[in-house]
Amino acid sequence: FNSAQLEPFVRTFYTEPEEISAMTEEEVEDMRLSLDNVKIRGKNCPRPVFKWSHLGLTSDIMDLITKKLNFSSPTPIQAQAVPAIMSGQDVIGISKTGSGKTVSFLLPLLRQIRAARPLGHDETGPLGLILAPTRELAVQIHEEVQKFIGISHRERSICCTGGSEMKRQIHEIKKGVEIVVATPGRFIDLLTLNSGRLLDTKRITFVVMDEADRLFDLGFEPQVTEIMKTIRPDKQCVLFSATFPSKLRSFAMRVLNDPITITINSKSLINENIKQKVAIYNDDQEKFQGLLSILEGRENSIKERSDLEDVDDKTIIFVSSQQICDLIYFRLEERGITTYAIHAGKPYAERASSLEKFKKTRNGILLCTEVLSRGLNVPEVSLVVIYNAVKTFAQYVHTAGRTARGTKSGITVTLLLSDELNAAYILKKSFREEEIETHNEYTKFKLIEMGSKFENGMNSGKFRLGKGFGGKGLDHMEMVKEQKL
Ligand code: ADP
Ligand code: MG
């Protein structure tokens, strides 16, 4: 390849919208947790988005997605991969089957093709190439491509697989096609046809390897490598797969140019040994009564079991401020319930000694502020009560994770007020289906209703994800102080 002869092409189309730029690092971190814990590796990965409108799509594509297909918001892989690809970089996207990978590469592919110089009369194309391992998958991707270009008829696409009629494919290609979806074997056949004068790879600037793990399992590596050699080295190349075995990884690192790797963690955010629960109350008074009955129920169960075995079931109650910590401490004390309380307002020596006593006390109860939870590791804790609902996914992951240490199991229960929509959204996204089912009809209904209300508000711009986080002012000071414990 002589780079001086390569026709320039545009590959960057993404401008970070104001709503995303305005977020703090912590809010972005939290958004990534909320997007099924999306992990990124590589340089200069843009922040994920959470609305279609963040992507600067053309109005015909917006209409198709939101009105015809009724996709309310981007899936986690779409939220992170589309801005990454549209900012011009090579991307590896790993996400389970059914998570919306096709749209993740189709939107940037179409965008790039539309900005390119149209095919001349003497050019067959394509501009974009999508490689898939099997005929069935190629057909399926092609149907999706047709949906997206069907609206404007600006681009032409063709599906080339073995077992389908070659003559018709040749006929179509001669008329010019912007997008080819193909299996590697058939694409090579077409390349070599007519001593290489039928298909021209000169103008390909966007290559997709879809279901790359299967491409490998089926032994297509040599063909894919051969195809890549015919395409300009500065093309944009993306690879999508449900799994990412190490031999695929080393191939990808060889073929792609300084790629960003995006992995969606399909596992739950919360350790599977933790059983998540929620109780919803109308006001603080009711909530305190709720706490009392949880503690009472627990005491009774411990009493019953202590006759038969050595029981050490510790409890941690998380509260949001020092004031609430002191208040709950006294109100429980009044009712004969002894707890240990730690927060940043207490001298270090006192905190350390309370923590020691808690560790030594069988079935002890610890009251503490959320920021102190990070790093706290007491294996006997089998119940976490989140008395003041969390504001961020990160908080929830950290507090819920104070139980079920190691291989032990535990319960986390959040006491939620009926106007705490943000927290309801976090819980709704963190609970497993069967955990939602363990609740009574009212709680189930309420949680889903509150969570959906927040989600809708977020889409309309009324609510902001992670609001309340941001490490500002006093909260931040408290956090810095408490981290010294
Ligand atoms: P994958 O390639 O990850 O297995 P697909 O791209 O085939 O997944 O998408 C799976 C299904 O999800 C398809 O029916 C697709 O139309 C649908 N889908 C894609 N994106 C969204 C979205 N943002 N919201 C809702 N459904 C979507
Ligand atoms: Mg797919």
Side-chain angles (χ1 to χ4, degrees), residues 113-172:
I113 286 177
R114 285 186 175 185
R117 176 177 66 76
L119 287 175
H121 292 298
D122 53 342
E123 292 176 312
T124 56
L127 305 173
L129 170 65
I130 302 170
L131 293 172
T134 64
R135 183 181 183 187
E136 288 68 27
L137 282 164
V139 168
Q140 205 180 302
I141 296 165
H142 187 244
E143 280 168 4
E144 204 86 351
V145 171
Q146 288 281 311
K147 255 189 238 164
F148 278 80
I149 64 178
I151 40 177
S152 65
H153 298 290
R154 269 197 263 175
E155 300 85 11
R156 295 154 291 179
S157 75
I158 186 172
C159 183
C160 303
T161 65
S164 55
E165 215 194 313
M166 186 111 114
K167 251 196 199 149
R168 191 190 49 80
Q169 290 169 11
I170 296 169
H171 182 71
E172 291 292 314

Side-chain angles (χ1 to χ4, degrees), residues 52 65 69-75 77-78 95-103 105 140 144 147 210-211:
W52 293 116
I65 289 177
L69 299 173
N70 282 318
F71 295 169
S72 58
S73 54
T75 64
I77 186 71
Q78 292 162 0
S95 179
K96 67 171 187 244
T97 306
S99 57
K101 294 192 284 294
T102 320
V103 170
F105 60 75
Q140 205 180 302
E144 204 86 351
K147 255 189 238 164
D210 196 20
E211 307 261 359

Side-chain angles (χ1 to χ4, degrees), residues 406-425:
T407 57
K408 292 195 160 83
S409 61
I411 297 173
T412 287
V413 52
T414 294
L415 310 190
L416 196 63
L417 293 175
S418 52
D419 60 355
E420 291 173 319
L421 304 185
N422 185 358
Y425 171 73

